[in-house]
Amino acid sequence: QVQLVESGGGLVQPGGSLRLSCVASGSIRSIDVMGWYRQAPGKQRELVARIFSGGNINFADSVKGRFTISRENDKNTLYLQMNRLKPEDTAVYYCNAESSRWGAAYWGQGTQVTVSS
C-alpha cells in the first residue's frame, strides 16, 4: 500500500502564501497521479489540482493563476504552492495518490488551512 503524510498547513491572512507538502511511501512506484483535494465544513470534497506522471496538470477554476502544483519524482513528494490566498480557500487539504496498476486510491490525513483577516 501507499502512505501519504501532509504538512505545511496553518493560519494565514488574506493575500498571503502557504506551501503544502505531501510525502508518499510504500509502493510508490505504482503511483500514476498525485493531487490535492480540499473540504470545507459542510461542503463536499473537491479537487484543487493534480499532476500526472506524463506531466499534465489541471486545476480547479477557483485556484487557477494562484496555486501551483509540482512533484519531486525521486522522493515522491508533492507540493502545492498557494499564493494570494482568500478566505474561501479555508479547508482541510488532503493529498491523494492513484495507482492504475492496482486500481487503488490513497489519502493522507489532511492538513488544515485557515485564511482569515
Side-chain angles (χ1 to χ4, degrees), residues 12-18 66-67 81-89 114-117:
V12 64
Q13 293 185 340
S17 298
L18 209 60
R66 299 189 297 120
F67 290 11
Q81 178 66 48
M82 304 183 292
N83 300 318
R84 305 195 306 279
L85 283 161
K86 304 175 181 179
E88 52 262 44
D89 294 319
T114 302
V115 184
S116 66
S117 59

Tab-separated table of all heavy atoms in Angstrom, residues 12-18 66-67 81-89 114-117:
chain	number	residue	atom	x	y	z
A	12	VAL	N	-3.118	31.883	7.912
A	12	VAL	CA	-2.514	32.925	7.091
A	12	VAL	C	-3.558	33.998	6.796
A	12	VAL	O	-4.759	33.712	6.729
A	12	VAL	CB	-1.942	32.327	5.780
A	12	VAL	CG1	-3.055	31.752	4.909
A	12	VAL	CG2	-1.127	33.353	5.015
A	13	GLN	N	-3.110	35.229	6.636
A	13	GLN	CA	-4.011	36.325	6.311
A	13	GLN	C	-4.349	36.337	4.826
A	13	GLN	O	-3.576	35.833	4.002
A	13	GLN	CB	-3.388	37.663	6.706
A	13	GLN	CG	-3.233	37.853	8.201
A	13	GLN	CD	-2.725	39.232	8.557
A	13	GLN	OE1	-2.149	39.929	7.723
A	13	GLN	NE2	-2.940	39.633	9.795
A	14	PRO	N	-5.503	36.885	4.464
A	14	PRO	CA	-5.832	37.009	3.041
A	14	PRO	C	-4.724	37.711	2.271
A	14	PRO	O	-4.156	38.699	2.745
A	14	PRO	CB	-7.117	37.831	3.041
A	14	PRO	CG	-7.738	37.540	4.370
A	14	PRO	CD	-6.582	37.398	5.327
A	15	GLY	N	-4.434	37.190	1.088
A	15	GLY	CA	-3.354	37.715	0.274
A	15	GLY	C	-2.014	37.074	0.539
A	15	GLY	O	-1.066	37.303	-0.227
A	16	GLY	N	-1.927	36.273	1.577
A	16	GLY	CA	-0.683	35.618	1.926
A	16	GLY	C	-0.442	34.352	1.131
A	16	GLY	O	-1.225	33.981	0.255
A	17	SER	N	0.651	33.678	1.462
A	17	SER	CA	1.064	32.467	0.762
A	17	SER	C	1.337	31.347	1.743
A	17	SER	O	1.667	31.575	2.912
A	17	SER	CB	2.320	32.726	-0.081
A	17	SER	OG	2.095	33.692	-1.087
A	18	LEU	N	1.224	30.132	1.238
A	18	LEU	CA	1.478	28.941	2.033
A	18	LEU	C	1.888	27.826	1.081
A	18	LEU	O	1.386	27.761	-0.051
A	18	LEU	CB	0.223	28.547	2.803
A	18	LEU	CG	0.344	27.818	4.145
A	18	LEU	CD1	1.116	28.662	5.146
A	18	LEU	CD2	-1.038	27.498	4.688
A	66	ARG	N	-3.348	31.225	-9.154
A	66	ARG	CA	-2.915	31.481	-7.784
A	66	ARG	C	-2.124	30.323	-7.179
A	66	ARG	O	-1.213	30.544	-6.387
A	66	ARG	CB	-4.118	31.777	-6.889
A	66	ARG	CG	-4.916	33.005	-7.296
A	66	ARG	CD	-5.961	33.367	-6.249
A	66	ARG	NE	-6.955	32.305	-6.081
A	66	ARG	CZ	-7.182	31.656	-4.942
A	66	ARG	NH1	-6.487	31.950	-3.855
A	66	ARG	NH2	-8.125	30.709	-4.877
A	67	PHE	N	-2.481	29.097	-7.552
A	67	PHE	CA	-1.841	27.907	-6.988
A	67	PHE	C	-0.949	27.238	-8.027
A	67	PHE	O	-1.226	27.281	-9.232
A	67	PHE	CB	-2.886	26.891	-6.527
A	67	PHE	CG	-3.686	27.290	-5.312
A	67	PHE	CD1	-3.640	28.577	-4.800
A	67	PHE	CD2	-4.492	26.354	-4.688
A	67	PHE	CE1	-4.379	28.939	-3.688
A	67	PHE	CE2	-5.236	26.698	-3.576
A	67	PHE	CZ	-5.185	27.988	-3.073
A	81	GLN	N	1.889	25.077	-3.906
A	81	GLN	CA	2.212	26.449	-3.568
A	81	GLN	C	0.956	27.289	-3.737
A	81	GLN	O	0.409	27.369	-4.837
A	81	GLN	CB	3.330	26.982	-4.465
A	81	GLN	CG	3.708	28.431	-4.205
A	81	GLN	CD	4.323	28.636	-2.844
A	81	GLN	OE1	5.210	27.904	-2.444
A	81	GLN	NE2	3.843	29.639	-2.125
A	82	MET	N	0.517	27.910	-2.670
A	82	MET	CA	-0.715	28.678	-2.666
A	82	MET	C	-0.379	30.149	-2.446
A	82	MET	O	0.198	30.514	-1.424
A	82	MET	CB	-1.665	28.180	-1.579
A	82	MET	CG	-1.989	26.695	-1.688
A	82	MET	SD	-3.189	26.144	-0.443
A	82	MET	CE	-2.185	26.317	1.042
A	83	ASN	N	-0.748	30.977	-3.409
A	83	ASN	CA	-0.497	32.407	-3.349
A	83	ASN	C	-1.805	33.178	-3.406
A	83	ASN	O	-2.819	32.671	-3.883
A	83	ASN	CB	0.407	32.841	-4.506
A	83	ASN	CG	1.752	32.165	-4.499
A	83	ASN	OD1	2.375	32.007	-3.454
A	83	ASN	ND2	2.229	31.773	-5.679
A	84	ARG	N	-1.756	34.412	-2.939
A	84	ARG	CA	-2.930	35.292	-2.934
A	84	ARG	C	-4.141	34.579	-2.358
A	84	ARG	O	-5.222	34.545	-2.948
A	84	ARG	CB	-3.210	35.823	-4.336
A	84	ARG	CG	-2.007	36.534	-4.971
A	84	ARG	CD	-2.371	37.357	-6.187
A	84	ARG	NE	-3.087	36.606	-7.204
A	84	ARG	CZ	-2.526	35.809	-8.099
A	84	ARG	NH1	-1.207	35.645	-8.102
A	84	ARG	NH2	-3.276	35.185	-8.988
A	85	LEU	N	-3.941	34.024	-1.187
A	85	LEU	CA	-4.978	33.225	-0.549
A	85	LEU	C	-6.197	34.061	-0.184
A	85	LEU	O	-6.075	35.235	0.177
A	85	LEU	CB	-4.422	32.534	0.689
A	85	LEU	CG	-3.550	31.311	0.390
A	85	LEU	CD1	-2.666	30.974	1.579
A	85	LEU	CD2	-4.424	30.117	0.019
A	86	LYS	N	-7.352	33.433	-0.282
A	86	LYS	CA	-8.627	34.060	0.017
A	86	LYS	C	-9.316	33.312	1.151
A	86	LYS	O	-9.052	32.133	1.366
A	86	LYS	CB	-9.533	34.044	-1.224
A	86	LYS	CG	-8.936	34.698	-2.453
A	86	LYS	CD	-9.858	34.514	-3.653
A	86	LYS	CE	-9.276	35.149	-4.899
A	86	LYS	NZ	-10.166	34.951	-6.075
A	87	PRO	N	-10.217	33.968	1.874
A	87	PRO	CA	-10.940	33.274	2.944
A	87	PRO	C	-11.654	32.011	2.457
A	87	PRO	O	-11.738	31.032	3.206
A	87	PRO	CB	-11.941	34.321	3.440
A	87	PRO	CG	-11.260	35.622	3.169
A	87	PRO	CD	-10.527	35.414	1.866
A	88	GLU	N	-12.140	32.013	1.229
A	88	GLU	CA	-12.829	30.846	0.699
A	88	GLU	C	-11.901	29.669	0.424
A	88	GLU	O	-12.362	28.574	0.094
A	88	GLU	CB	-13.621	31.196	-0.569
A	88	GLU	CG	-12.802	31.913	-1.625
A	88	GLU	CD	-12.991	33.418	-1.590
A	88	GLU	OE1	-12.993	33.992	-0.483
A	88	GLU	OE2	-13.148	34.021	-2.672
A	89	ASP	N	-10.586	29.871	0.547
A	89	ASP	CA	-9.640	28.771	0.444
A	89	ASP	C	-9.545	27.976	1.744
A	89	ASP	O	-8.887	26.929	1.772
A	89	ASP	CB	-8.247	29.284	0.071
A	89	ASP	CG	-8.196	29.892	-1.318
A	89	ASP	OD1	-8.810	29.325	-2.244
A	89	ASP	OD2	-7.530	30.931	-1.481
A	114	THR	N	-6.258	27.737	7.146
A	114	THR	CA	-7.219	28.747	7.543
A	114	THR	C	-6.750	30.106	7.059
A	114	THR	O	-5.640	30.533	7.380
A	114	THR	CB	-7.400	28.771	9.065
A	114	THR	OG1	-7.820	27.488	9.527
A	114	THR	CG2	-8.441	29.807	9.463
A	115	VAL	N	-7.598	30.772	6.289
A	115	VAL	CA	-7.305	32.105	5.767
A	115	VAL	C	-8.293	33.068	6.404
A	115	VAL	O	-9.493	32.990	6.144
A	115	VAL	CB	-7.409	32.150	4.240
A	115	VAL	CG1	-6.989	33.528	3.728
A	115	VAL	CG2	-6.560	31.057	3.608
A	116	SER	N	-7.806	33.949	7.235
A	116	SER	CA	-8.679	34.866	7.951
A	116	SER	C	-8.003	36.217	8.130
A	116	SER	O	-6.776	36.325	8.125
A	116	SER	CB	-9.069	34.287	9.316
A	116	SER	OG	-7.950	34.186	10.171
A	117	SER	N	-8.845	37.238	8.298
A	117	SER	CA	-8.342	38.593	8.459
A	117	SER	C	-7.914	38.888	9.884
A	117	SER	O	-7.291	39.907	10.150
A	117	SER	CB	-9.416	39.595	8.033
A	117	SER	OG	-10.588	39.437	8.811
